[in-house]
């Protein structure tokens, strides 16, 4: 296996473009575990840890830019991730174990596109955008467009994730990430990520993403719309939950059967909405 | 053929010059090249914590850390935690509380606890349990391990926690 440590994004792109079967190495948690398990044998590893711009966190009036190499530990501790962005901070805080969070990076999480981890759903709920650099320059796309299938992204050869943009969203909006797992630290059986804005008792905005229930995070505008304009009564929440459960494509695995996951979705949605609502100041 | 890469690693305050293939982990290098076998190989998947070391003071899985990425970082292994042949306070507390069991997981637990106490000298039982979430011990129910670590963080005159009383 070949190995390189580029110092600029452009250098990294050239290496990735020049070598068939090259993979980026970010925190290494999933990549190295998959190599140990014989699931991956890259021709070349392009380590990103010496590219300084990938570790930057910058803020502007609209939101926050997180470099791809920012670790979950840092995301979990960043108090700038409040309001709607709390959904991302909370997901990073709850994901796996402390030692994993010390290593794993936000860019690694999105580029891996594992639909059973916490960050993809949280980023969809937060309307995050991903900056992708490639031979043709840089582009910014909604994170939803990045996820194509289980462990598959739209990244072309020679492209890498450089940073994520998290918009602050509506004033007064709050985010919440709720995971249901067999034990703390396990992959979620189901996770609900949502951003909620209230005006008085009325839901002004809702954006819900469901994790671990399909090949990509599940987001259904129709379900969001069932909540908007309502007082989030039992009926509306149940109806939104039913739509999500119907649209979900969960699998049976050791963490729960597909049927069990479908039953969990509306229940967890109700709980996540109540918890988020406690923090709103609509 | 694999590239062989020359590099220096700072391990327990000593610089070690090595030549390693890029796919080799810190765990491989410690155990096989440096014969420092106090760091255990458990699952090789970052699930058990037996291979835990500290990198710049933070617990990380050496089984998932490629050695070539650790140039310039301060690595602490279980061999580096004692002081002049004296057990580290965490090690002493574990012995005193009978929290040693078969000992396979203990290198990782000692390092995780050391990092926790350096960051948070008075952790609650909940914080200790949270920090040890990365470390699995199949011998015990963790009660004595948690008691041992909590005993080090206790302020003078502080009451025993409910876990310690039970």
């Amino acid at each position: 296996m070949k190995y390189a440590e580029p110092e600029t994004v452009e250098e990294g792109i050239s290496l990735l473009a020049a070598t068939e079967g090259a993979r980026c190495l970010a925190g290494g948690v999933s990549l190295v575990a998959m190599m140990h398990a014989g699931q991956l044998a890259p021709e070349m590893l392009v380590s990103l840890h010496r590219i300084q711009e990938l570790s930057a966190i910058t803020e502007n009036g609209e939101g926050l830019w997180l470099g791809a190499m920012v670790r979950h530990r840092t995301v979990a501790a960043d108090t700038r991730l409040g309001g709607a962005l709390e959904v991302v901070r909370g997901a990073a805080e709850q994901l796996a174990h402390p030692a994993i969070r010390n290593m794993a990076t936000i860019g690694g999480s999105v580029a891996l596109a594992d639909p059973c981890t916490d960050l993809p759903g949280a980023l969809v709920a937060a309307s995050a955008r991903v900056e992708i650099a490639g031979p043709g320059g840089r582009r910014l796309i909604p994170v939803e467009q990045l996820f194509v299938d289980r462990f598959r992204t739209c990244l072309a050869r020679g492209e890498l994730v450089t940073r994520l943009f998290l918009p602050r969203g509506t004033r007064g909006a709050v985010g919440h990430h709720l995971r249901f797992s067999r034990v703390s630290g396990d992959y979620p059986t189901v996770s609900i990520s949502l951003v909620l804005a209230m005006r008085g008792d009325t839901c002004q905005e809702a954006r819900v993403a469901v994790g671990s229930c399909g090949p990509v995070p599940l987001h259904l505008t129709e379900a969001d719309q069932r909540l908007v304009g309502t007082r989030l009564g039992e009926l509306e929440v149940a109806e939104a939950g039913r739509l999500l459960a119907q649209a979900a494509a969960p699998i049976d695995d050791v963490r729960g059967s597909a049927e069990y996951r479908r039953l969990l979705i509306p229940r967890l949605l109700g709980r996540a909405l109540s918890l988020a609502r406690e923090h709103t100041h609509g | 053929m694999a590239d062989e890469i020359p590099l220096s690693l700072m391990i327990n305050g000593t610089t070690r010059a090595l030549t390693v293939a890029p796919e080799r982990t810190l765990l491989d290098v410690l155990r096989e090249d440096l014969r420092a076998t106090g760091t255990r190989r458990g699952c090789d998947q970052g699930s058990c914590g037996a291979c835990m070391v500290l990198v710049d003071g933070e617990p990380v899985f050496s089984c998932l850390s490629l050695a070539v990425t650790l140039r310039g970082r301060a690595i602490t292994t279980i061999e580096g935690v004692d002081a002049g042949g004296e057990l580290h306070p965490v090690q002493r507390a574990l012995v005193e509380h009978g929290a040693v069991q078969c000992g396979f997981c203990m290198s990782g637990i000692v390092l995780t606890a050391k990092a926790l106490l350096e960051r948070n000298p008075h952790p609650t039982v909940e914080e200790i349990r949270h920090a040890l979430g990365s470390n699995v011990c199949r011998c015990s129910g963790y009660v004595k391990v948690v008691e041992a670590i909590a005993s080090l963080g206790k302020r003078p005159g502080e009451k025993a926690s409910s876990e310690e009383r039970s």
Side-chain angles (χ1 to χ4, degrees):
Chain A
M1 189 180 73
K2 297 200 174 302
Y3 176 81
E5 287 179 354
E7 295 194 355
T8 65
V9 168
E10 288 66 33
E11 223 182 302
I13 291 165
S14 309
L15 287 160
L16 289 166
T19 315
E20 173 100 43
R23 293 286 295 238
C24 288
L25 173 69
V29 169
S30 302
L31 186 74
V32 177
M34 289 164 98
M35 284 163 56
H36 287 324
Q39 294 165 335
L40 266 185
E43 295 283 313
M44 178 182 213
L45 282 188
V46 178
S47 170
L48 305 182
H49 75 280
R50 294 205 183 274
I51 306 179
Q52 283 188 358
E53 78 161 90
L54 302 185
S55 297
I57 302 180
T58 51
E59 198 176 13
N60 64 25
E62 274 86 61
L64 219 61
W65 286 97
L66 296 180
M69 289 295 280
V70 173
R71 294 173 306 157
H72 296 331
R73 175 198 176 104
T74 307
V75 175
D78 198 318
T79 50
R80 288 173 292 184
L81 294 168
L85 304 190
E86 178 68 29
V87 66
V88 175
R89 201 200 61 75
E93 186 177 44
Q94 295 171 69
L95 182 150
H97 293 304
I100 296 281
R101 299 194 292 268
N102 285 342
M103 302 175 74
T105 62
I106 191 151
S109 267
V110 297
L112 181 70
D114 180 350
C116 296
T117 64
D118 300 75
L119 259 305
L123 291 166
V124 167
S127 304
R129 275 171 270 161
V130 188
E131 186 186 78
I132 296 166
R138 299 198 184 199
R139 61 195 170 110
L140 192 63
I141 61 166
V143 73
E144 275 173 288
Q145 285 176 19
L146 182 77
F147 303 124
V148 173
D149 202 347
R150 207 172 288 275
F151 296 103
R152 268 193 58 210
T153 64
C154 69
L155 288 177
R157 181 164 161 181
E159 287 191 322
L160 61 90
V161 172
T162 46
R163 54 182 183 161
L164 286 112
F165 181 69
L166 309 183
R168 285 205 191 287
T170 309
R171 195 180 170 81
V174 295
H176 192 76
H177 179 76
L178 180 68
R179 73 200 310 272
F180 180 85
S181 58
R182 297 176 302 175
V183 292
S184 164
D186 191 11
Y187 286 90
T189 304
V190 176
S191 65
I192 300 279
S193 305
L194 59 83
V195 169
L196 180 69
M198 301 293 289
R199 187 178 290 141
D201 287 334
T202 305
C203 173
Q204 188 189 353
E205 186 188 315
R207 189 173 163 89
V208 179
V210 182
S212 300
C213 283
V216 297
L218 172 65
H219 172 235
L220 204 63
T221 309
E222 205 185 345
D224 295 345
Q225 289 309 316
R226 293 296 159 110
L227 302 169
V228 173
T230 76
R231 292 175 171 248
L232 300 178
E234 266 181 50
L235 279 177
E236 291 95 17
V237 174
E239 180 63 10
R242 190 183 62 76
L243 288 170
L244 288 165
Q246 268 175 0
I251 54 167
D252 294 321
D253 71 8
V254 68
R255 296 181 178 85
S257 65
E259 185 191 7
Y260 180 56
R261 287 185 156 103
R262 280 208 174 87
L263 289 169
L264 275 177
I265 291 170
R267 284 159 179 77
L268 291 180
L269 174 64
R271 198 178 303 168
L273 282 166
S274 310
L275 289 166
R277 199 171 176 175
E278 281 174 21
H279 295 103
T280 58
H281 307 285
Chain B
M1 204 178 78
D3 285 357
E4 292 279 329
I5 298 170
L7 78 156
S8 296
L9 293 181
M10 177 67 80
I11 299 172
N12 299 325
T14 304
T15 304
R16 309 295 298 257
L18 298 149
T19 303
V20 300
E23 64 269 28
R24 296 189 72 219
T25 62
L26 177 62
L27 177 63
D28 294 336
V29 170
L30 288 171
R31 292 185 61 85
E32 294 161 16
D33 298 16
L34 303 176
R35 301 287 173 195
T37 53
T39 306
R40 316 293 192 190
R41 187 186 301 280
C43 64
D44 257 346
Q45 288 290 309
S47 298
C48 76
C51 71
M52 199 73 78
V53 298
L54 305 183
V55 174
D56 295 335
E58 292 173 8
V60 306
F61 296 107
S62 63
C63 76
L64 298 181
S65 305
L66 298 185
V68 287
T69 64
L70 295 171
R71 274 174 284 197
R73 313 288 295 275
I75 299 160
T76 306
T77 72
I78 193 65
E79 286 87 354
V81 301
D82 69 340
E86 290 288 312
L87 290 180
H88 186 274
V90 172
Q91 293 173 306
R92 199 164 52 242
L94 289 164
V95 172
E96 284 168 0
H97 284 77
V100 288
Q101 303 287 350
C102 89
F104 192 80
C105 65
M106 278 301 150
S107 312
I109 286 178
V110 167
L111 288 160
T112 302
K114 178 180 184 297
L116 169 67
L117 290 163
E118 279 167 10
R119 188 175 70 247
N120 175 5
H122 304 288
T124 63
V125 164
E126 187 54 36
E127 286 165 341
I128 295 167
R129 287 191 164 275
H130 180 76
L132 288 179
S134 310
N135 297 76
V136 173
C137 164
R138 292 297 79 165
C139 297
S140 86
Y142 305 99
V143 172
K144 286 181 183 298
V145 174
V146 174
E147 279 179 14
I149 298 165
S151 74
L152 294 168
K154 216 178 289 173
R155 292 185 177 86
E158 197 175 329
K159 281 183 187 170
S161 72
S162 58
E163 182 153 349
E164 288 173 290
R165 285 195 298 269
S166 65

